[in-house]
Amino acid sequence: MNIRAKQVGEQMKKELSDIISRKIKDPRIGFVTVTDVEVSGDLQQAKVYISVLGGEAERENTLIGLAKAKGFIRSEIGRRIRLRKTPEIFFEFDESIDYGNRIETLLHDINKEKRNEEN
């Protein structure tokens, strides 16, 4: 990834967080955190990684709401970040948070078992 794509990604991350939390009023969209934005080298596509507070239903509803608002979000990004062409936006769940939580749970269980064996 080139430096320009990285800079655009960082700027998009900041703006997307603001747009999603302040501008979109769709009740399907829950508490969303934009964790990362990866922009392609040609600045044509942006993969937006999000995490959503809640269960599977909340996650799915949020994706549906964001898909409906994609045109609005893209036009807002284009207005805020002055690029010749605004990247096409794709939303994906950030699996690394779930993965990290799973590892933390496993480590906690292992430590608990060790303490029980020692007693």
Side-chain angles (χ1 to χ4, degrees):
M1 184 189 306
N2 63 33
I3 294 169
R4 177 77 175 131
K6 202 165 197 57
Q7 289 172 336
V8 169
E10 283 301 312
Q11 187 66 32
M12 281 184 71
K13 179 179 169 184
K14 194 171 83 175
E15 298 298 343
L16 281 165
S17 295
D18 184 61
I19 293 166
I20 292 170
S21 65
R22 297 174 191 240
K23 297 275 190 180
I24 299 177
K25 303 294 181 213
D26 191 324
R28 292 175 292 199
I29 298 174
F31 186 74
V32 176
T33 303
V34 178
T35 58
D36 195 18
V37 177
E38 287 181 2
V39 180
S40 62
D42 60 1
L43 306 179
Q44 296 294 306
Q45 297 179 333
K47 223 184 262 186
V48 179
Y49 292 95
I50 60 169
S51 68
V52 178
L53 201 61
E56 193 62 35
E58 287 84 357
R59 289 169 56 135
E60 290 307 315
N61 284 336
T62 296
L63 262 192
I64 292 166
L66 288 173
K68 282 275 190 216
K70 199 183 278 192
F72 170 76
I73 292 169
R74 196 168 171 210
S75 65
E76 276 290 303
I77 288 289
R79 198 173 54 72
R80 294 177 182 207
I81 305 173
R82 305 203 185 277
L83 296 171
R84 253 181 256 132
K85 188 173 186 299
T86 306
E88 183 69 33
I89 297 172
F90 301 95
F91 291 100
E92 286 189 24
F93 290 115
D94 188 344
E95 303 296 340
S96 66
I97 292 171
D98 291 338
Y99 183 72
N101 288 340
R102 176 80 178 119
I103 290 174
E104 193 173 327
T105 302
L106 289 171
L107 289 172
H108 177 76
D109 291 347
I110 290 170
N111 286 331
K112 197 171 168 183
E113 284 177 23
K114 280 186 178 179
R115 281 195 300 272
N116 287 342
E117 288 174 5
E118 289 172 0
N119 292 337

